[in-house]
């Protein structure tokens, strides 16, 4: 098969290959646990700068105690802080989720609105979180751009933009609307597992035959000697937690 020469051609091939690699729709591909758009919205805000595993460890107790936006809006902040402590930045996150719960109660009858124009008026909610809620929670077209989506769309030559809003506009113009949400989630999974920042595993990548950024394997003689064990620099970069879908 000829190697695609245009962003549109690469986008079409990437959509097909990623769908084979990561099957399922946006809701199935999302690694956050949730039972409703309200839970998904709160979980997505909590996922800033932490892992989905950490969020999934905190939310069952949080939603058991505060099952509705009304309950969360009326909570004692210190009690919420204790429940979300394990997700990091717990004071700021408590302010955000209590603020958005109050806004849902005051302005939307306690329901999460299924529109971008309404979602971005909620405290702590930007286009990225709103697009997660739309595509994963409501099954309507939305293309969240997080750090993985930003990096991979540039590496794959789908855009030269670095601003998330411009990336969203350029890349969605290349994709069928029905593929927006799932393609974003698949790019995030690919960025976590294969196209890892600083050390992409091109040899294991199903997009390598048309990716303009593919890296050739490093010959053994050219490899740099390994750092002595215990090097803080290497450990710091190797253990850096992945950035999650969120707006923080
Ligand atoms: S070929 Fe390499 S740089 Fe391109 S998407 Fe795959 S892992 Fe990333």
């Amino acid at each position: 098969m000829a190697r695609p020469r245009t962003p549109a051609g690469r986008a079409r091939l990437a959509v097909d290959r990623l769908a084979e690699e990561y099957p399922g729709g946006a809701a199935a591909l999302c690694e956050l646990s949730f039972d409703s758009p309200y839970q998904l919205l709160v979980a997505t805000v909590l996922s800033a700068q932490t892992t989905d595993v950490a969020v999934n460890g905190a939310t069952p107790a949080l939603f058991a105690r505060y099952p509705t936006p009304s309950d969360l809006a009326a909570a004692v902040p210190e009690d919420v802080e204790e429940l979300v402590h394990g997700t990091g930045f717990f004071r700021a996150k408590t302010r955000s989720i209590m603020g958005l719960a109050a806004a849902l109660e005051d302005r939307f009858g306690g329901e999460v609105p299924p529109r971008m124009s309404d979602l971005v008026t909620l405290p702590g909610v930007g286009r990225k979180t709103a697009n997660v809620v739309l595509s994963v929670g409501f099954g309507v077209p939305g293309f969240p751009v997080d750090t993985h989506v930003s990096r991979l769309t540039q590496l794959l030559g789908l855009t030269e933009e670095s601003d998330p809003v411009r990336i969203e506009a350029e890349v969605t113009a290349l994709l069928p609307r029905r593929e927006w949400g799932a393609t974003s989630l698949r790019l995030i999974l690919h960025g976590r597992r294969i196209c890892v920042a600083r050390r992409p595993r091109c040899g294991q990548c199903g997009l390598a035959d048309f990716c303009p950024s593919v890296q050739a394997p490093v010959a053994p003689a050219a490899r740099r000697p390994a750092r002595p064990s215990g090097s803080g620099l290497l450990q710091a970069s190797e253990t850096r937690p992945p950035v999650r879908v969120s707006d923080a």
Side-chain angles (χ1 to χ4, degrees), residues 152 155-156 190 194-195 200-202 205 207-208 211 213-215:
L152 266 71
L155 288 171
L156 287 165
H190 202 62
I194 303 292
C195 190
R201 299 172 185 137
C202 300
C205 180
L207 314 178
C211 174
S213 309
V214 62
Q215 295 180 12

Side-chain angles (χ1 to χ4, degrees), residues 13-211:
L13 209 45
V15 165
D16 291 346
R17 296 274 183 87
L18 289 168
E20 285 174 21
E21 185 84 17
Y22 309 101
L29 293 163
C30 179
E31 295 186 324
L32 291 170
S33 301
F34 65 96
D35 288 329
S36 66
Y38 158 64
Q39 292 190 2
L40 176 62
L41 177 57
V42 170
T44 305
V45 171
L46 291 177
S47 71
Q49 303 298 320
T50 190
T51 64
D52 291 350
V53 171
V55 175
N56 293 340
T59 47
L62 180 71
F63 297 135
R65 184 139 175 203
Y66 309 110
T68 68
S70 171
D71 298 321
L72 184 55
V76 174
E78 289 74 19
D79 293 343
V80 179
E81 287 176 0
E82 194 176 328
L83 288 168
V84 305
H85 192 279
T87 69
F89 304 100
F90 60 94
R91 291 197 181 91
K93 289 182 179 179
T94 294
R95 278 195 299 277
S96 290
I97 63 175
M98 288 187 66
L100 74 84
L104 290 177
E105 193 60 24
D106 291 346
R107 293 194 277 123
F108 299 102
E111 300 290 331
V112 177
R115 288 174 299 278
M116 171 66 76
S117 57
D118 290 330
L119 286 167
V120 294
T121 68
L122 298 169
V125 177
R127 289 191 67 86
K128 192 164 38 181
T129 293
N131 272 318
V132 172
V133 172
L134 290 174
S135 58
V136 175
F138 291 109
V140 301
F143 188 75
V145 178
D146 79 335
T147 184
H148 296 294
V149 174
S150 176
R151 188 178 73 257
L152 266 71
T153 52
Q154 291 173 62
L155 288 171
L156 287 165
L158 308 186
T159 182
E160 293 182 355
E161 299 286 353
S162 55
D163 174 70
V165 176
R166 291 185 179 178
I167 290 173
E168 181 187 338
E170 278 210 352
V171 177
T172 52
L174 302 173
L175 306 175
R177 284 174 62 84
R178 66 180 180 282
E179 300 290 350
W180 288 1
T183 299
S184 168
L185 271 291
R186 288 169 183 144
L187 287 167
I188 292 169
L189 293 175
H190 202 62
R192 288 177 183 168
R193 298 174 187 177
I194 303 292
C195 190
V196 183
R198 293 198 189 95
R199 48 192 164 89
R201 299 172 185 137
C202 300
Q204 302 168 34
C205 180
L207 314 178
D209 61 316
F210 68 91
C211 174

